Every structure is written in C-alpha cells, then in structure tokens.
Amino acid sequence: MSDDDIPEPDRIAGAPHPRETRDLFGQSKAEADFLEAFGAGRLHSGWLITGPRGVGKATLAWKIATFLLSDPDVGLFGDPTLAIDPEHPDARLIQAGAHPRLSLIRRPWDDKTKKLKSDITVDAVRGLKKFFHMSAADGGRRVVIVDAADELNRNAANAILKELEEPPANCTILLIAHQPSRLLPTIRSRCRELRCARLNADDLHRALVQAGHHSDQTESLAALAGGSAGDAIRLLNHDGLALYAELVKTLDKLPRIDRPSALRLADACVGKTGEVRFGMTLDLIDLFLSRAARAGLMGEPAAQGAPGEARLLARIAPDDRAARNWAQLQQDLTDRSRHGRAVNLDPAALILDMIFKIEETAQGTAVA
C-alpha cells in the first residue's frame, strides 16, 4: 500500500483534514487565551487542547502551528488573530504536509494487519529526536502535534513526558486530548490547557456548511450531535438520523419493546456490510441511554433526536431514581459492548442483549 492509500487516523470521513479547514467556529476563547499568552511572552512549551470530540480541537492545533511557523508578529497589533494568509510560504508547506519544522504524531499503520494500530507506539515518538536535531539546523520555531494524546501507549506517553520535562529550545508541543483524565498526571501538569467548548447551533451549522454538508433535519442533528461537528458528520455519513429514528420506534412501547423491529435492527448489523452500522448502533444506544438519564434529571429534552423521542423519554425517565437507573445501565452496557467487541461476539446477539436490558430496566422505571 502506498502512503497515499493509508487512511489518516486524524481525519473524519467526509470532512476536510483539520490542516485544510479554513475557519474555526465557536472556539474564540481558546484562541484568545493562546494569543494572550503569546503576546505576553508566556508561550509554554507544552499545550493541552481538550474538549469533546469533533468540536475543532485539531483545527485549533493546526491553526496555532501555522501561526507559530509563519510570522507570529503579524496580527498582534489591534485585533489579534491566528489567521495566516493561506498563500504564505509556511502555510502552503503545512497544507502540503511538507513543513520541515512541523512533526505530526498519530497512530501508525501496521503493515502486518493492514490496519491502523490501536494506539500511538513509542516508535512514533522516538522519531522526535531526529526531528529536533534536523529542524534545529533550519532555525526558527518547531512545532509538534500529537493527535490524539489519549491514544499514546504507556511507553509513548513516557517518551512524550521526557520531551516536556526537557523541552528543546524554541519548540512547542500541542497535545490534543478528548479525555485528558486518561493522560499521565505529570503530562497534564507540564502543559497549559486550552479548553474547546461544544458548538452552539449556529456554529455547528456553519461548520457543517464549510465541510460541504447540508441537512433538512437540523433539530434532530443538533440534538444528537451535542455540539460536535465531527459527530454530526458521522451521523450524516452513516444515515445515523434514520437509524436513531428506527431505534426510538423499536423502544416506543417501553416498558415492552417491539420485538420484530428489534430483530430487524440487530440483523442489519451482521456481516461485512453491517460493520459500520453495528458500530453506529452501539453508539446510538449509548446516546439514547445518556439522553434518558439526562431527561430524568432535567425533564423532557428541548429538541428531539427523532419523532416521538421526547414523549418516550418523559415516560421512561420520570424522576431522579429513573435517571440513576439509566445512567447505571449506560455504564453496564458500555462495558458489555467493549467486552463483546473484544471477543468478537456475534453483533446481532450483542445488540439484542442490550435492547433486552433496556426493556428490563424500563419495566422498573416507566410510568404507565
């Protein structure tokens, strides 16, 4: 397989790569925090960019990298901005993935399995020594992007920690983390955090339009994506809105499920053609349980993920006790899902088992 054919682990299918994304929406505070530190001469060697998946963390990292590797004095007078002319020589090198003073660390390709590895290995980090040595000869700043730091295995994490403890001169390391609690505390303590927030409805819409996606189901999409443009694109790519509507219809008569519908839902996840649908179904079951737990605490949702969802959630999650039951079931089924996928459990059997567990829980919580 040629380098051009290897999938990029930091690219969402159906969306431009973060280095190609022109505008960043909804993260003005994180941008301002970085620019304030830079303008005050407090540029940390390590930055931890955190927040939910799909809200623009990687786009922010690439914009910071482009800013630092171009002329960072430009734009700091008047209204500071990370925006760099895309025709700037450094910006063009970054777009082409060929900037000599930028290193990207991400999950590598496994030639044996013909798949991306499940984590970032220490070999991927060891290359930094050579990068620092070679890029130092060019002068100027050097930037490292780790996407995502959550995926560093223990040896790789320790190697990154060593670089943070003894950072080379004029070097900035940008670590993107969806779940920063999974990182070594010593890594977190040596970085300054930039927190990216969930997108509001307007910013989500603008981000989707920029990525070339349009939907006439904006309410459902916004409700299920939860302020994540990445999640919204995944839903659109894999017909997730229709699948969630099918799930809600299957559960609509809780505390009893529609068994024929449940069987159809499960059978559609079988085989090679059902792999993507299987993963999406697991994600949407998890999302439904999360929304049920939230409804028990906060009441009926303001926006529905599918027709009839609000009525269903009001019935099965009427109070705090129900919320706790659904939250516990969500945790239990997350563990069950992880185990089932690890041991290659039959997808249909796993989906049906999860739906029956939902039925069982509903029988103890629903209001007649």
Side-chain angles (χ1 to χ4, degrees):
M1 179 178 288
S2 69
D3 290 345
D4 291 339
D5 295 327
I6 294 176
E8 295 181 282
D10 52 346
R11 180 192 289 270
I12 296 173
H17 189 277
R19 67 173 173 267
E20 304 163 349
T21 303
R22 182 176 180 86
D23 296 314
L24 174 64
F25 300 107
Q27 308 305 343
S28 57
K29 184 178 186 309
E31 290 186 70
D33 288 347
F34 176 82
L35 287 166
E36 180 184 10
F38 180 87
R42 299 192 305 269
L43 184 63
H44 291 63
S45 57
W47 292 82
L48 185 60
I49 304 176
T50 66
R53 287 181 182 272
V55 298
K57 299 189 301 300
T59 299
L60 175 60
W62 282 92
K63 286 193 171 299
I64 289 174
T66 303
F67 173 82
L68 291 175
L69 293 173
S70 303
D71 183 357
D73 290 330
V74 174
L76 286 180
F77 300 100
D79 185 18
T81 175
L82 289 176
I84 296 294
D85 184 345
E87 295 304 312
H88 187 288
D90 288 294
R92 295 183 67 176
L93 283 171
I94 289 171
Q95 290 293 310
H99 202 292
R101 290 184 281 113
L102 174 63
S103 177
L104 173 61
I105 296 176
R106 54 189 178 179
R107 286 186 291 130
W109 179 257
D110 190 327
D111 284 324
K112 293 182 179 178
T113 63
K114 303 303 179 185
K115 294 181 180 179
L116 289 166
K117 292 187 177 181
S118 59
D119 53 21
I120 298 175
T121 59
V122 69
D123 288 340
V125 180
R126 283 178 180 149
L128 283 181
K129 293 296 184 186
K130 182 178 181 181
F131 165 71
F132 289 141
H133 177 73
M134 293 181 64
S135 60
D138 295 337
R141 297 180 182 276
R142 290 161 291 170
V143 177
V144 176
I145 296 176
V146 182
D147 191 1
D150 317 61
E151 297 168 346
L152 292 163
N153 67 22
R154 178 165 290 278
N155 289 335
N158 284 326
I160 284 288
L161 175 60
K162 185 171 180 59
E163 301 300 340
L164 290 169
E165 289 175 334
E166 302 173 5
N170 223 14
C171 177
T172 302
I173 300 177
L174 305 170
L175 295 98
I176 299 164
H178 314 302
Q179 296 177 289
S181 61
R182 296 179 59 184
L183 299 179
L184 294 173
T186 42
I187 287 181
R188 299 201 303 269
S189 68
R190 283 168 172 77
C191 296
R192 174 165 174 181
E193 184 175 6
L194 291 175
R195 176 74 182 176
C196 291
R198 293 185 180 277
L199 305 182
N200 61 34
D202 289 341
D203 286 333
L204 177 63
H205 174 72
R206 291 194 292 164
L208 290 176
V209 170
Q210 177 177 245
H213 291 275
H214 303 269
S215 172
D216 57 2
Q217 296 176 274
T218 53
E219 177 183 331
S220 295
L221 188 61
L224 297 183
S228 167
D231 285 351
I233 291 172
R234 290 185 187 94
L235 286 166
L236 292 172
N237 281 347
H238 304 304
D239 206 18
L241 295 178
L243 180 53
Y244 191 75
E246 185 180 345
L247 175 64
V248 168
K249 184 177 180 181
T250 300
L251 304 175
D252 185 59
K253 301 302 181 183
L254 285 174
R256 298 293 180 187
I257 62 167
D258 180 338
R259 275 172 163 67
S261 178
L263 288 170
R264 288 193 297 272
L265 192 70
D267 287 343
C269 297
V270 175
K272 197 72 174 176
T273 58
E275 283 184 7
V276 172
R277 185 179 174 95
F278 176 47
M280 178 62 71
T281 302
L282 291 176
D283 290 343
L284 291 178
I285 288 175
D286 182 78
L287 179 58
F288 175 81
L289 295 174
S290 172
R291 289 173 66 79
R294 190 179 302 116
L297 293 174
M298 305 177 64
E300 185 177 308
Q304 294 194 110
E309 184 205 32
R311 182 187 66 249
L312 170 61
L313 294 178
R315 190 174 72 252
I316 67 171
D319 50 33
D320 292 358
R321 182 180 66 86
R324 290 191 295 272
N325 289 345
W326 290 117
Q328 182 59 56
L329 181 64
Q330 182 187 19
Q331 180 60 57
D332 293 344
L333 293 191
T334 296
D335 294 341
R336 190 181 296 259
S337 169
R338 186 180 298 114
H339 173 74
R341 300 185 81 166
V343 299
N344 293 319
L345 191 67
D346 174 61
L350 181 58
I351 295 296
L352 279 177
D353 179 62
M354 296 172 81
I355 291 176
F356 290 150
K357 289 295 182 183
I358 292 174
E359 181 182 52
E360 180 182 316
T361 302
Q363 289 170 0
T365 59
V367 173

